[in-house]
CSV table of all heavy atoms in Angstrom, one decimal:
chain,number,residue,atom,x,y,z
B,33,TYR,N,-57.3,-10.0,-61.7
B,33,TYR,CA,-55.8,-10.0,-61.7
B,33,TYR,C,-55.2,-11.3,-61.2
B,33,TYR,O,-54.6,-12.0,-62.0
B,33,TYR,CB,-55.3,-8.8,-60.9
B,33,TYR,CG,-53.8,-8.4,-61.1
B,33,TYR,CD1,-53.5,-7.4,-62.0
B,33,TYR,CD2,-52.9,-9.0,-60.3
B,33,TYR,CE1,-52.2,-7.1,-62.2
B,33,TYR,CE2,-51.5,-8.7,-60.5
B,33,TYR,CZ,-51.2,-7.7,-61.4
B,33,TYR,OH,-49.9,-7.3,-61.6
B,34,HIS,N,-55.6,-11.6,-60.0
B,34,HIS,CA,-55.1,-12.9,-59.5
B,34,HIS,C,-55.9,-14.0,-60.0
B,34,HIS,O,-57.2,-14.0,-60.2
B,34,HIS,CB,-55.3,-12.8,-58.0
B,34,HIS,CG,-54.1,-12.1,-57.3
B,34,HIS,ND1,-53.4,-11.1,-58.0
B,34,HIS,CD2,-53.6,-12.2,-56.1
B,34,HIS,CE1,-52.5,-10.6,-57.2
B,34,HIS,NE2,-52.6,-11.2,-56.0
B,35,HIS,N,-55.3,-15.0,-60.3
B,35,HIS,CA,-55.9,-16.1,-61.1
B,35,HIS,C,-56.7,-17.1,-60.1
B,35,HIS,O,-57.6,-17.7,-60.5
B,35,HIS,CB,-54.9,-16.9,-61.8
B,35,HIS,CG,-55.5,-17.8,-62.8
B,35,HIS,ND1,-54.9,-19.0,-63.3
B,35,HIS,CD2,-56.7,-17.8,-63.5
B,35,HIS,CE1,-55.6,-19.6,-64.2
B,35,HIS,NE2,-56.7,-18.9,-64.3
B,38,LEU,N,-53.9,-20.9,-60.0
B,38,LEU,CA,-53.0,-21.0,-61.1
B,38,LEU,C,-52.2,-22.3,-61.1
B,38,LEU,O,-52.1,-23.0,-62.1
B,38,LEU,CB,-52.0,-19.8,-61.2
B,38,LEU,CG,-51.8,-19.1,-62.6
B,38,LEU,CD1,-50.6,-18.4,-62.6
B,38,LEU,CD2,-52.0,-20.1,-63.7
B,69,VAL,N,-52.2,-16.3,-69.1
B,69,VAL,CA,-51.4,-15.7,-68.1
B,69,VAL,C,-50.0,-15.3,-68.7
B,69,VAL,O,-49.7,-15.8,-69.7
B,69,VAL,CB,-51.2,-16.6,-66.8
B,69,VAL,CG1,-49.9,-17.3,-66.8
B,69,VAL,CG2,-51.5,-15.9,-65.5
B,70,SER,N,-49.3,-14.4,-68.1
B,70,SER,CA,-48.1,-13.9,-68.7
B,70,SER,C,-47.0,-14.9,-68.6
B,70,SER,O,-47.0,-15.8,-67.8
B,70,SER,CB,-47.6,-12.6,-68.0
B,70,SER,OG,-47.0,-12.9,-66.7
B,76,ARG,N,-43.7,-18.2,-60.6
B,76,ARG,CA,-44.1,-17.9,-59.2
B,76,ARG,C,-44.5,-19.2,-58.5
B,76,ARG,O,-44.5,-19.3,-57.3
B,76,ARG,CB,-45.3,-16.9,-59.2
B,76,ARG,CG,-44.9,-15.6,-59.6
B,76,ARG,CD,-44.2,-14.8,-58.5
B,76,ARG,NE,-43.9,-13.4,-59.0
B,76,ARG,CZ,-42.9,-12.7,-58.4
B,76,ARG,NH1,-42.3,-13.2,-57.4
B,76,ARG,NH2,-42.6,-11.5,-58.9
B,77,HIS,N,-44.9,-20.2,-59.3
B,77,HIS,CA,-45.5,-21.4,-58.7
B,77,HIS,C,-44.5,-22.6,-58.8
B,77,HIS,O,-44.5,-23.5,-58.0
B,77,HIS,CB,-46.8,-21.7,-59.3
B,77,HIS,CG,-47.9,-20.7,-59.2
B,77,HIS,ND1,-48.8,-20.6,-58.1
B,77,HIS,CD2,-48.1,-19.5,-59.9
B,77,HIS,CE1,-49.5,-19.6,-58.2
B,77,HIS,NE2,-49.1,-18.9,-59.3
D,167,DA,P,-45.5,-14.8,-48.4
D,167,DA,OP1,-45.6,-16.1,-47.8
D,167,DA,OP2,-44.3,-14.2,-48.9
D,167,DA,O5',-46.6,-14.8,-49.6
D,167,DA,C5',-48.0,-15.0,-49.3
D,167,DA,C4',-48.8,-14.7,-50.6
D,167,DA,O4',-48.8,-13.3,-50.9
D,167,DA,C3',-48.3,-15.5,-51.8
D,167,DA,O3',-49.5,-16.1,-52.4
D,167,DA,C2',-47.7,-14.4,-52.7
D,167,DA,C1',-48.5,-13.2,-52.3
D,167,DA,N9,-47.8,-11.9,-52.5
D,167,DA,C8,-46.6,-11.6,-52.1
D,167,DA,N7,-46.2,-10.4,-52.4
D,167,DA,C5,-47.3,-9.9,-53.1
D,167,DA,C6,-47.5,-8.6,-53.7
D,167,DA,N6,-46.6,-7.6,-53.7
D,167,DA,N1,-48.7,-8.4,-54.3
D,167,DA,C2,-49.6,-9.4,-54.3
D,167,DA,N3,-49.5,-10.7,-53.8
D,167,DA,C4,-48.3,-10.8,-53.2
D,168,DT,P,-49.4,-17.1,-53.6
D,168,DT,OP1,-50.5,-18.1,-53.5
D,168,DT,OP2,-48.0,-17.6,-53.6
D,168,DT,O5',-49.6,-16.2,-54.9
D,168,DT,C5',-50.8,-15.6,-55.0
D,168,DT,C4',-50.7,-14.6,-56.2
D,168,DT,O4',-49.8,-13.5,-55.8
D,168,DT,C3',-50.2,-15.2,-57.5
D,168,DT,O3',-51.2,-14.9,-58.5
D,168,DT,C2',-48.9,-14.5,-57.7
D,168,DT,C1',-49.2,-13.2,-57.0
D,168,DT,N1,-48.0,-12.3,-56.7
D,168,DT,C2,-48.0,-11.0,-57.1
D,168,DT,O2,-49.0,-10.5,-57.7
D,168,DT,N3,-46.9,-10.3,-56.8
D,168,DT,C4,-45.8,-10.7,-56.0
D,168,DT,O4,-44.9,-10.0,-55.8
D,168,DT,C5,-45.9,-12.1,-55.6
D,168,DT,C7,-44.8,-12.7,-54.8
D,168,DT,C6,-47.0,-12.8,-56.0
D,169,DG,P,-51.3,-15.9,-59.8
D,169,DG,OP1,-52.6,-16.3,-60.0
D,169,DG,OP2,-50.1,-16.8,-59.7
D,169,DG,O5',-50.9,-14.8,-61.0
D,169,DG,C5',-51.9,-13.9,-61.4
D,169,DG,C4',-51.3,-12.6,-61.9
D,169,DG,O4',-50.3,-12.2,-61.0
D,169,DG,C3',-50.5,-12.8,-63.3
D,169,DG,O3',-51.2,-12.1,-64.3
D,169,DG,C2',-49.2,-12.1,-63.0
D,169,DG,C1',-49.3,-11.4,-61.7
D,169,DG,N9,-48.1,-11.4,-61.0
D,169,DG,C8,-47.5,-12.4,-60.3
D,169,DG,N7,-46.4,-12.1,-59.7
D,169,DG,C5,-46.2,-10.7,-60.1
D,169,DG,C6,-45.1,-9.9,-59.8
D,169,DG,O6,-44.1,-10.1,-59.1
D,169,DG,N1,-45.3,-8.6,-60.4
D,169,DG,C2,-46.4,-8.3,-61.1
D,169,DG,N2,-46.4,-7.0,-61.6
D,169,DG,N3,-47.4,-9.1,-61.4
D,169,DG,C4,-47.2,-10.3,-60.9
D,170,DT,P,-50.7,-12.1,-65.8
D,170,DT,OP1,-51.8,-11.9,-66.7
D,170,DT,OP2,-49.8,-13.2,-65.9
D,170,DT,O5',-49.8,-10.7,-65.7
D,170,DT,C5',-50.4,-9.5,-65.4
D,170,DT,C4',-49.5,-8.3,-65.7
D,170,DT,O4',-48.3,-8.4,-64.8
D,170,DT,C3',-48.9,-8.4,-67.1
D,170,DT,O3',-48.9,-7.1,-67.7
D,170,DT,C2',-47.4,-8.8,-66.9
D,170,DT,C1',-47.1,-8.2,-65.5
D,170,DT,N1,-46.1,-9.0,-64.7
D,170,DT,C2,-45.0,-8.3,-64.3
D,170,DT,O2,-44.8,-7.1,-64.5
D,170,DT,N3,-44.1,-9.0,-63.5
D,170,DT,C4,-44.2,-10.3,-63.2
D,170,DT,O4,-43.4,-10.9,-62.5
D,170,DT,C5,-45.4,-11.0,-63.7
D,170,DT,C7,-45.6,-12.4,-63.4
D,170,DT,C6,-46.3,-10.3,-64.4
D,171,DA,P,-48.8,-6.9,-69.3
D,171,DA,OP1,-49.8,-6.0,-69.7
D,171,DA,OP2,-48.6,-8.2,-69.9
D,171,DA,O5',-47.3,-6.2,-69.4
D,171,DA,C5',-47.0,-5.2,-68.4
D,171,DA,C4',-45.6,-4.7,-68.6
D,171,DA,O4',-44.7,-5.5,-67.8
D,171,DA,C3',-45.1,-4.9,-70.0
D,171,DA,O3',-44.3,-3.7,-70.4
D,171,DA,C2',-44.2,-6.2,-70.0
D,171,DA,C1',-43.7,-6.1,-68.5
D,171,DA,N9,-43.4,-7.4,-67.9
D,171,DA,C8,-44.1,-8.6,-68.1
D,171,DA,N7,-43.7,-9.6,-67.4
D,171,DA,C5,-42.6,-9.1,-66.8
D,171,DA,C6,-41.7,-9.7,-65.9
D,171,DA,N6,-41.7,-11.0,-65.5
D,171,DA,N1,-40.7,-8.9,-65.3
D,171,DA,C2,-40.7,-7.6,-65.7
D,171,DA,N3,-41.5,-6.9,-66.6
D,171,DA,C4,-42.4,-7.8,-67.1
D,172,DA,P,-43.6,-3.6,-71.8
D,172,DA,OP1,-43.9,-2.2,-72.2
D,172,DA,OP2,-44.0,-4.7,-72.7
D,172,DA,O5',-42.1,-3.7,-71.5
D,172,DA,C5',-41.6,-3.2,-70.2
D,172,DA,C4',-40.2,-3.6,-70.0
D,172,DA,O4',-40.1,-4.9,-69.3
D,172,DA,C3',-39.4,-3.8,-71.3
D,172,DA,O3',-38.1,-3.1,-71.1
D,172,DA,C2',-39.2,-5.3,-71.5
D,172,DA,C1',-39.2,-5.8,-70.0
D,172,DA,N9,-39.7,-7.2,-69.8
D,172,DA,C8,-40.7,-7.8,-70.5
D,172,DA,N7,-40.9,-9.0,-70.1
D,172,DA,C5,-39.9,-9.2,-69.2
D,172,DA,C6,-39.5,-10.4,-68.4
D,172,DA,N6,-40.2,-11.5,-68.5
D,172,DA,N1,-38.5,-10.2,-67.5
D,172,DA,C2,-37.8,-9.1,-67.5
D,172,DA,N3,-38.1,-7.9,-68.2
D,172,DA,C4,-39.1,-8.1,-69.0
D,173,DT,P,-37.0,-3.0,-72.3
D,173,DT,OP1,-36.3,-1.7,-72.1
D,173,DT,OP2,-37.7,-3.3,-73.6
D,173,DT,O5',-36.0,-4.2,-72.0
D,173,DT,C5',-35.5,-4.3,-70.6
D,173,DT,C4',-34.9,-5.6,-70.4
D,173,DT,O4',-35.9,-6.7,-70.4
D,173,DT,C3',-33.9,-6.1,-71.6
D,173,DT,O3',-32.6,-6.0,-71.1
D,173,DT,C2',-34.3,-7.5,-71.9
D,173,DT,C1',-35.2,-7.9,-70.7
D,173,DT,N1,-36.2,-8.9,-71.0
D,173,DT,C2,-36.1,-10.1,-70.3
D,173,DT,O2,-35.2,-10.3,-69.4
D,173,DT,N3,-37.1,-11.0,-70.6
D,173,DT,C4,-38.1,-10.9,-71.5
D,173,DT,O4,-38.9,-11.8,-71.7
D,173,DT,C5,-38.1,-9.6,-72.2
D,173,DT,C7,-39.2,-9.4,-73.2
D,173,DT,C6,-37.2,-8.7,-71.9
D,174,DC,P,-31.4,-6.2,-72.2
D,174,DC,OP1,-30.4,-5.1,-71.9
D,174,DC,OP2,-31.9,-6.3,-73.5
D,174,DC,O5',-30.7,-7.6,-71.7
D,174,DC,C5',-30.8,-7.9,-70.3
D,174,DC,C4',-30.2,-9.3,-70.2
D,174,DC,O4',-31.3,-10.3,-70.1
D,174,DC,C3',-29.3,-9.8,-71.3
D,174,DC,O3',-28.1,-10.3,-70.8
D,174,DC,C2',-30.1,-10.9,-72.0
D,174,DC,C1',-31.1,-11.4,-71.0
D,174,DC,N1,-32.4,-11.7,-71.6
D,174,DC,C2,-33.0,-12.9,-71.3
D,174,DC,O2,-32.4,-13.7,-70.5
D,174,DC,N3,-34.2,-13.3,-71.9
D,174,DC,C4,-34.8,-12.4,-72.7
D,174,DC,N4,-35.9,-12.7,-73.2
D,174,DC,C5,-34.2,-11.1,-73.0
D,174,DC,C6,-33.0,-10.8,-72.4
Side-chain angles (χ1 to χ4, degrees):
Chain B
Y33 196 92
H34 281 24
H35 194 205
L38 229 200
V69 101
S70 78
R76 293 279 178 202
H77 302 265

